[in-house]
Amino acid sequence: MASERESFDLSGPLHLTYVLWDNPYHRMSVAACLVQGVYILERDRQENRQGSDALAPPWWTFFHFQLLRPLVDDVDSSIFGAIYEFKPPSSQSNDTLYRSPRYVIAFRGTLTKAHSVSRDVELDIHFIRQGLHQTTRSNIAVQAVRNTVATVGDSNVWLAGHSLGSAMAMLTGKTMAKDGNFIESFLFNPPFVSAPLEKIKDERIKHGIRFAGSVITAGLTLAMKAKQPKDLSLDPFTALSAWVPCLFVNPSDHLCSEYIGYFEHRRNMEDIGAGVIERLATQNSLGGLLMGAFGKEYSEPLHLIPSASLTVNVAPASDFKEAHGIHQWWKPDLSLDYKLYNYK
């Protein structure tokens, strides 16, 4: 039997009957619903819900999107993404349509259902090990984005994802940014590979740990540069700095809450005159550098980015499931904190 959370009529933003495309809450809510549409597309496939029994379509048709095509994993045949096309009615008068996307490419996160969980968990592990870019699912995602951008241009495309899907959107967004295509991106509860330092309540202890980590990471980065000048001498963040994805995190979600401290610590280091140290540390993970120091292949940390528009849901969450869930991002009574971080 279908969950109430799968039904748009029962859990979707029915209050959002008129979208102002220059309104951050409206844009966030629509992007989150399109990601939810991918989750329900896969659940429809798993439960063999077709035609009038399918629950996925209202998650995009309510906002005048059409499903152009699903993105299917070549290993387990699960639907992990979707390409949507925006088709506003010609009769609709909306002065903000110039801010709307023409296409949205959305990716779901991990589904804990027997039909797809093993493949999703396998990809979660690849992400933790900095190897998501080596998977066939990521190749399918990147190619879909490349083809869409080649057809309509980067200014007409949005990327969106939740959890593992945020990591996939992050990977495709960074890949395109390196080629000079800066795609508007909505990353909900993006995973951050790190110890959950945000859980530490004492600000002095937390800052001390972060400062020590930055010094060690910067030192290892300099050592690696000395050994491999051609590979690590350039600042990869400079090329990516013009890409400013929108990150949506919850402090009670330990999988993504470190983004709060990651960006705030960078600003604090600048304020105390230690910006040079942090400039080296912010683009490298300590774990990845240690692996490189011991002769293992060094991969650029996917979760580390130079710039972001960070939105924090500061409303209390009852549990981790709520804090990590996609549904929170279209609630009408959200309490949000916005901060813009530009890498210079």
Side-chain angles (χ1 to χ4, degrees):
M1 185 175 177
S3 161
E4 177 181 310
R5 296 170 69 81
E6 294 179 348
S7 168
F8 184 86
D9 290 339
L10 296 177
S11 64
L14 296 174
H15 59 281
L16 204 57
T17 56
Y18 187 82
V19 176
L20 297 173
W21 291 101
D22 58 356
N23 182 299
Y25 167 74
H26 288 196
R27 293 157 65 85
M28 172 187 70
S29 298
V30 171
C33 285
L34 295 179
V35 173
Q36 175 70 349
V38 183
Y39 276 108
I40 311 306
L41 266 174
E42 172 56 16
R43 290 294 294 134
D44 282 348
R45 184 192 73 87
Q46 293 177 0
E47 299 296 323
N48 197 28
R49 297 188 298 235
Q50 301 178 21
S52 60
D53 294 329
L55 296 178
W59 289 99
W60 58 81
T61 58
F62 187 82
F63 304 107
H64 305 296
F65 282 87
Q66 294 180 1
L67 176 64
L68 201 60
R69 70 179 178 95
L71 300 177
V72 178
D73 190 286
D74 63 338
V75 174
D76 66 354
S77 299
S78 66
I79 297 172
F80 72 91
I83 303 177
Y84 301 103
E85 184 176 7
F86 184 46
K87 291 283 191 178
S90 56
S91 59
Q92 186 183 70
S93 176
N94 189 331
D95 294 336
T96 67
L97 282 176
Y98 72 98
R99 292 293 308 276
S100 67
R102 184 173 171 187
Y103 295 95
V104 177
I105 304 173
F107 306 101
R108 67 166 175 84
T110 301
L111 267 174
T112 56
K113 304 294 181 181
H115 301 79
S116 56
V117 65
S118 61
R119 175 61 169 162
D120 287 349
V121 170
E122 176 189 343
L123 290 160
D124 288 331
I125 295 172
H126 276 294
F127 170 77
I128 294 171
R129 294 179 173 176
Q130 307 296 345
L132 190 63
H133 63 289
Q134 298 172 331
T135 65
T136 55
R137 181 181 290 190
S138 72
N139 293 337
I140 295 169
V142 170
Q143 195 57 52
V145 175
R146 283 193 192 280
N147 292 343
T148 306
V149 169
T151 303
V152 300
D154 57 7
S155 63
N156 292 302
V157 178
W158 282 8
L159 290 175
H162 173 251
S163 193
L164 173 63
S166 272
M168 195 65 69
M170 179 86 75
L171 173 61
T172 55
K174 288 180 77 171
T175 301
M176 298 302 294
K178 291 175 181 177
D179 294 333
N181 296 300
F182 305 110
I183 305 175
E184 191 150 5
S185 303
F186 298 80
L187 311 180
F188 300 97
N189 302 85
F192 192 102
V193 183
S194 171
L197 298 182
E198 279 300 298
K199 295 293 183 182
I200 300 174
K201 301 302 181 184
D202 191 307
E203 290 296 325
R204 290 178 301 173
I205 294 175
K206 184 161 59 176
H207 176 69
I209 293 173
R210 291 194 190 282
F211 183 85
S214 292
V215 172
I216 295 170
T217 302
L220 280 173
T221 301
L222 288 172
M224 292 293 288
K225 280 185 175 182
K227 290 176 62 178
Q228 299 172 314
K230 290 184 179 179
D231 294 333
L232 295 175
S233 59
L234 297 177
D235 180 358
F237 268 27
T238 301
L240 291 174
S241 60
W243 181 53
V244 188
C246 300
L247 273 57
F248 303 90
V249 306
N250 190 308
S252 298
D253 176 7
H254 64 270
L255 295 180
C256 69
S257 62
E258 266 307 293
Y259 272 110
I260 301 171
Y262 171 71
F263 285 110
E264 194 60 35
H265 176 63
R266 184 193 300 176
R267 182 168 289 177
N268 291 339
M269 292 289 277
E270 290 284 353
D271 291 343
I272 66 173
V276 174
I277 293 175
E278 189 57 24
R279 196 174 181 88
L280 289 170
T282 194
Q283 56 190 285
N284 293 284
S285 70
L286 186 55
L289 289 169
L290 288 172
M291 288 177 64
F294 286 104
K296 295 187 178 182
E297 182 182 356
Y298 177 85
S299 296
E300 175 189 321
L302 173 59
H303 61 288
L304 303 184
I305 51 176
S307 306
S309 171
L310 184 67
T311 299
V312 180
N313 181 4
V314 296
S318 59
D319 53 27
F320 169 75
K321 185 176 181 181
E322 180 184 348
H324 189 66
I326 187 71
H327 286 71
Q328 67 184 297
W329 300 111
W330 58 74
K331 287 184 177 180
D333 55 348
L334 284 173
S335 179
L336 303 174
D337 179 40
Y338 299 93
K339 287 184 180 177
L340 179 64
Y341 295 94
N342 283 312
Y343 182 81
K344 298 176 182 178

